[in-house]
Amino acid sequence: MKIGVIGLGFVGLTFASIMANKGFDVNGVDTDNRKIHIIKSGRAPFYEPELDTILKKAIGKKFTLSGKIEDIVKNCNLIFVTVGTPMMTNGSIDLRMILNVCEKIGEALLKTKNIPTIIIKSTVIPGTTVNQIKKTLEKKSSKNTGKGFELITNPEFLREGKAIEDTLHPHIIVIGSDDNKKINQLTKFYKKFYGSKIPIILTNNTTAEMIKYANNSFLATKISFINNIANLCQSLPGTNVDDVASAIGIDPRIGKQFLNAGPGFGGSCLPKDLQALIKFSKNRGEESILLKAVHQTNNYQVKKILKLIDKYLGSLKNKKITILGLSFKEESDDVRESVSIKLIENLIKKHAIIRVHDPKAINNTKNIFGSKINYFNKTDDALNGSQCVILMTPWKEYTKLKNSNFQKMKNKIIIDTKRILKFKKNNLTYIGFGIGKEIS
Ligand code: UGA
């Protein structure tokens, strides 16, 4: 079985590396030459725990980089399309990259007798596979689906920071196709790889696409829900959102995951997918009242931080503010749609002097703000002389901070959006998101 992977981001590179380590011949391609250069040297072009190790074992051996979609179409049985579908300013997704890839696959299909199965893993709005991808492939190849190639929608559910664990142990596999024959081939592949215990949902292309959007939107809804409750707890002396979340999470109808309140969700998926679904609903003549509220609640969280800073510091002109954590979540260097970045943008407008620290995401942040803000390798240096610190990303190293680490601050105001500081807060002004002030 030969596997082709088109698009070597989090999903594609992790998938390709794992499959190659399991003994499959994998051929990968990506248009970004800088990325290819780094991958060839056995390193991932982004931070993902353990990915370097498995990539190094496979690259140049079972995992090759052909550089040409044509080679993949000619030689591979299964072709996974894992290119990005980024957000446009109007909230819709940009399909240019995936349609461009499909044009190239179609052109290559025209020149080969190989009948590959093309598997769309990229997140695409419901209807895209049938209405756009299929049509592009058929037009460019002059071949019909089911004859010259097979076409399947197979959304991915892995999380950044846990990409390997999630690829090795997915909780579900969704296979969508309007033709059952195609489904059987991929189902067999996955069953062989993962064993028979994994739930495999067989459906049509459009429902498979909808499952992905429903999944991410539901996760976003859970987060906004608990953030809403957290904000209420914070106004209620003696209450703590974590106790509320643990208790309601025991109810199997609710479940304990994704109830960790904080500054709001970020990243390249949840905000993008939520907005795309809202926009898509509108285009279909349906108003997504709930999803709009989820989005609004998420935006409110950064405003809440700004309001708190304003309450304690007043005018921010030339005031030193420290931000601990820049990536959208821990164990990642990704700053896309990170709430920390939105916060910094707002603080810059208010002429604050911004001091930032993050174990992995400094370089990506420098690409956005350059010399407009100050970067530190050590938390103590970032805190020195600061008038307020906001803990944004719950990196493990921040959980180890002690009262003494904050003593060199000018004003010891700590806004802990994830409630990770567990030490006694005497002589500090501590505001934990979702924690109502102690009852005296
Ligand atoms: C998300 C989904 O969880 C994956 O299943 C999906 O495959 C992926 O999007 C995608 O569509 O590609 P990811 O963006 O990597 O994965 O990150 P999450 O772990 O979902 O976290 C998203 C954001 O929500 C982060 O900012 C995180 O800090 C926040 N979050 C998460 C909370 O604020 N509270 C929680 O309880 C959980």
Side-chain angles (χ1 to χ4, degrees):
M1 178 75 75
K2 287 199 166 123
I3 295 174
V5 180
I6 303 177
L8 299 173
F10 281 97
V11 174
L13 189 59
T14 308
F15 186 75
S17 306
I18 286 178
M19 290 299 154
N21 270 279
K22 295 282 178 186
F24 292 100
D25 287 314
V26 182
N27 197 341
V29 68
D30 197 288
T31 47
D32 186 339
N33 288 331
R34 187 195 66 93
K35 221 187 225 180
I36 290 293
H37 186 71
I38 302 173
I39 296 171
K40 272 190 177 154
S41 75
R43 283 177 302 128
F46 43 80
Y47 176 67
E48 180 62 42
E50 303 301 322
L51 183 54
D52 280 1
T53 318
I54 62 159
L55 172 62
K56 216 171 261 152
K57 279 190 201 159
I59 198 74
K61 294 165 204 155
K62 284 283 182 185
F63 181 15
T64 52
L65 299 164
S66 83
K68 277 193 190 159
I69 288 183
E70 204 179 317
D71 292 342
I72 287 181
V73 174
K74 203 168 117 193
N75 299 317
C76 295
N77 313 89
L78 299 179
I79 302 175
F80 291 87
V81 178
T82 50
V83 295
T85 48
M87 182 163 58
M88 300 198 289
T89 40
N90 70 359
S92 304
I93 53 168
D94 188 348
L95 290 173
R96 275 176 302 181
M97 231 184 309
I98 191 159
L99 293 179
N100 186 29
V101 160
C102 291
E103 283 187 6
K104 288 197 175 122
I105 295 176
E107 283 158 10
L109 280 168
L110 191 63
K111 299 182 203 156
T112 181
K113 285 193 177 136
N114 187 27
I115 304 177
T117 298
I118 298 155
I119 301 137
I120 307 298
K121 268 200 172 293
S122 305
T123 301
V124 287
I125 210 79
T128 307
T129 305
V130 171
N131 298 326
Q132 300 196 56
I133 292 177
K134 184 177 165 177
K135 283 185 183 155
T136 306
L137 289 167
E138 290 188 340
K139 190 174 161 207
K140 290 286 166 183
S141 67
S142 300
K143 290 179 181 174
N144 288 332
T145 317
K147 289 202 174 121
F149 61 92
E150 311 284 3
L151 183 60
I152 289 178
T153 308
N154 172 220
E156 177 56 56
F157 298 94
L158 70 74
R159 297 160 292 176
E160 284 186 28
K162 297 249 172 16
I164 292 176
E165 188 186 317
D166 289 351
T167 306
L168 285 172
H169 309 286
H171 68 279
I172 193 173
I173 288 170
V174 175
I175 297 179
S177 170
D178 293 354
D179 179 343
N180 282 331
K181 205 173 73 201
K182 308 160 200 172
I183 283 184
N184 284 340
Q185 193 191 1
L186 193 63
T187 308
K188 267 191 210 153
F189 169 77
Y190 278 134
K191 274 202 175 144
K192 205 169 160 205
F193 191 80
Y194 291 117
S196 54
K197 282 193 187 143
I198 176 128
I200 297 186
I201 305 298
L202 302 178
T203 182
N204 57 38
N205 297 96
T206 307
T207 308
E209 292 164 334
M210 191 66 210
I211 289 170
K212 171 69 187 179
Y213 276 92
N215 207 96
N216 271 1
S217 299
F218 192 80
L219 293 174
T221 304
K222 267 190 115 174
I223 300 168
S224 277
F225 171 81
I226 201 66
N227 284 342
N228 195 329
I229 298 293
N231 295 344
L232 190 53
C233 285
Q234 208 172 318
S235 76
L236 276 172
T239 50
N240 184 326
V241 70
D242 290 326
D243 293 345
V244 176
S246 318
I248 64 171
I250 291 171
D251 185 331
R253 294 168 301 176
I254 296 175
K256 62 180 190 307
Q257 292 194 43
F258 274 67
L259 290 179
N260 189 355
F265 54 83
S268 64
C269 304
L270 261 47
K272 175 190 79 147
D273 294 351
L274 181 71
Q275 283 183 65
L277 197 56
I278 292 170
K279 178 90 184 164
F280 177 66
S281 306
K282 196 171 178 216
N283 292 345
R284 312 267 331 154
E286 276 301 325
E287 237 14 87
S288 281
I289 299 161
L290 173 67
L291 298 183
K292 277 186 187 167
V294 170
H295 178 59
Q296 242 179 316
T297 306
N298 202 45
N299 287 343
Y300 176 74
Q301 294 308 91
V302 73
K303 290 185 198 141
K304 191 179 150 71
I305 301 172
L306 289 163
K307 258 201 224 164
L308 276 169
I309 302 175
D310 185 63
K311 177 179 162 192
Y312 286 96
L313 295 183
S315 161
L316 295 188
K317 194 158 190 219
N318 293 332
K319 299 229 168 107
K320 286 184 183 169
I321 304 209
T322 302
I323 291 166
L324 298 184
L326 301 164
S327 57
F328 83 103
K329 68 178 197 183
E330 67 279 23
E331 294 304 328
S332 166
D333 64 358
D334 197 342
V335 296
R336 285 176 290 175
E337 293 294 314
S338 166
V339 185
S340 299
I341 302 300
K342 287 188 195 150
L343 178 63
I344 294 169
E345 281 164 355
N346 278 286
L347 293 173
I348 288 176
K349 281 189 203 143
K350 290 174 185 278
H351 308 287
I353 301 170
I354 299 151
R355 304 160 72 80
V356 301
H357 174 273
D358 188 286
K360 296 283 176 199
I362 290 287
N363 283 343
N364 284 339
T365 309
K366 275 187 185 165
N367 290 339
I368 301 173
F369 295 111
S371 58
K372 285 188 193 150
I373 61 174
N374 306 290
Y375 307 89
F376 294 89
N377 292 326
K378 289 185 181 157
T379 46
D380 281 354
D381 294 340
L383 289 166
N384 199 349
S386 176
Q387 280 152 291
C388 176
V389 56
I390 307 117
L391 265 133
M392 294 293 288
T393 319
W395 283 99
K396 204 169 174 192
E397 67 172 88
Y398 298 154
T399 64
K400 292 177 187 151
L401 290 171
K402 300 188 191 81
N403 197 315
S404 55
N405 293 101
F406 297 89
Q407 293 309 316
K408 284 197 178 149
M409 288 178 73
K410 191 170 172 197
N411 293 347
K412 299 177 188 58
I413 299 165
I414 302 175
I415 301 175
D416 182 358
T417 66
K418 285 283 186 179
R419 304 161 303 285
I420 56 174
L421 300 179
K422 302 292 180 204
F423 56 79
K424 281 229 159 73
K425 315 295 185 321
N426 42 350
N427 92 343
L428 304 169
T429 304
Y430 177 83
I431 305 116
F433 260 34
I435 304 177
K437 275 209 178 98
E438 304 267 321
I439 306 166
S440 48

